[in-house]
Amino acid sequence: MIYITGDKHGDISYFKRKQMKKIKKGDYVIITGDFGFFWDGSRTEKENLDFLASLPYNILFIDGTHENFDELEKYPIVPYFGAKARKIADNIYHLLRGQVYIIEKKGIFTFGGGVSRDLQKMLDINMWFERELPSKEEFEEGVRQLKAYGSKIDYIITHEPPAQIKGTIDPELTQNPVNTYLDQISRQITFDKWFFGSMHLDEEIKKGFFGVFNELLPVNKKEKARVF
């Protein structure tokens, strides 16, 4: 089973809740950015990563805007489900931008990154990374991979929402290049469901477009979401 959840910002307590013990061995929990367990390289952070590595299910995440990319990029990129991913542990992988993974016979397109809405705060604490914004090469890779897959995909998992969805949530929100890029993709390909995390809400904004945050949302509609 594949589950989707939202930004965790290094909150280990989420994974220690009794509801998470119901996730079966071999299942997948995919986090829509701001994983946050790579931040300061502290002893506590290492202990948290060791705990996650001990869990029986797989933890996959895309990057958001609150990641320490210097720490994250120390880990190797390896082949993973027909694409490339950064291996953190045997059960923990960073899903890269513009890749298509085949997991449980489903095609999953991933695209992390974005623009910090709290940019000044991140600058003030010296934790802003220019690499939060995808590169031209990453944008191009996403288009290339989707075309190679026939412009039809089962699930799309991004940190930012497409521009049209962001505007639906709040017309006054500032659009950024990632929103625009994802909006173009949404109009050019066929997909079943799109999940995004940066808006910090649990809601289906428009048919097929799901904001996720605290819910543990199964991609299979037959299963009920677990809300924490």
Side-chain angles (χ1 to χ4, degrees):
M1 175 66 71
I2 301 172
Y3 296 91
I4 312 292
T5 190
D7 301 10
K8 291 295 162 274
H9 294 279
D11 181 10
I12 196 65
S13 68
Y14 186 92
F15 295 92
K16 294 183 176 181
R17 298 175 185 182
K18 63 180 181 180
Q19 294 95 333
M20 293 300 289
K21 295 179 181 179
K22 298 178 182 179
I23 309 301
K24 297 178 181 178
K25 182 178 180 179
D27 283 349
Y28 298 87
V29 174
I30 304 180
I31 298 165
T32 56
D34 287 352
F35 182 56
F37 286 95
F38 299 94
W39 198 247
D40 57 11
S42 66
R43 178 178 177 180
T44 298
E45 185 170 277
K46 183 180 185 304
E47 290 174 350
N48 288 341
L49 286 169
D50 287 343
F51 173 79
L52 295 178
S54 73
L55 296 173
Y57 50 85
N58 300 288
I59 299 172
L60 315 179
F61 66 95
I62 61 173
D63 52 87
T65 58
H66 293 140
E67 317 281 4
N68 185 328
F69 287 92
D70 288 344
E71 291 295 320
L72 181 57
E73 291 173 0
K74 291 178 181 178
Y75 292 84
I77 293 176
V78 300
Y80 189 69
F81 285 113
K84 297 179 293 184
R86 186 168 276 111
K87 182 177 180 179
I88 312 302
D90 287 344
N91 67 323
I92 307 174
Y93 286 84
H94 169 213
L95 304 181
L96 303 180
R97 299 168 183 172
Q99 299 292 297
V100 175
Y101 302 91
I102 311 300
I103 302 176
E104 295 190 349
K105 299 181 179 180
K106 298 294 185 180
I108 301 175
F109 175 75
T110 59
F111 205 90
V115 175
S116 294
R117 287 189 286 170
D118 56 352
L119 177 59
Q120 189 57 54
K121 174 185 175 182
M122 303 308 290
L123 288 169
D124 289 343
I125 63 174
N126 197 31
M127 286 302 292
W128 179 77
F129 293 85
E130 186 176 1
R131 297 192 296 287
E132 70 174 28
L133 184 65
S135 66
K136 177 183 176 182
E137 291 74 20
E138 288 169 331
F139 284 134
E140 292 174 347
E141 175 73 357
V143 172
R144 185 164 52 248
Q145 291 297 330
L146 285 170
K147 285 184 177 179
Y149 203 72
S151 297
K152 184 177 181 180
I153 204 78
D154 294 296
Y155 307 126
I156 296 177
I157 299 175
T158 62
H159 184 59
E160 293 271 7
Q164 59 168 316
I165 300 302
K166 190 173 185 178
T168 298
I169 295 170
D170 186 346
E172 295 186 3
L173 289 173
T174 301
Q175 302 284 353
N176 63 58
V178 183
N179 302 134
T180 303
Y181 170 78
L182 296 176
D183 202 59
Q184 293 172 347
I185 285 178
S186 73
R187 300 174 190 276
Q188 295 171 358
I189 68 170
T190 302
F191 59 92
D192 184 13
K193 296 178 184 178
W194 189 313
F195 304 92
F196 60 91
S198 69
M199 296 292 100
H200 287 192
L201 49 78
D202 292 297
E203 184 180 347
E204 184 174 11
I205 304 303
K206 183 180 176 181
K207 183 174 175 57
F209 291 90
F210 296 85
V212 289
F213 185 36
N214 285 317
E215 284 190 0
L216 187 65
L217 189 65
V219 296
N220 186 341
K221 289 183 179 180
K222 295 179 182 179
E223 296 286 334
K224 292 183 178 180
R226 294 170 181 149
V227 183
F228 303 121

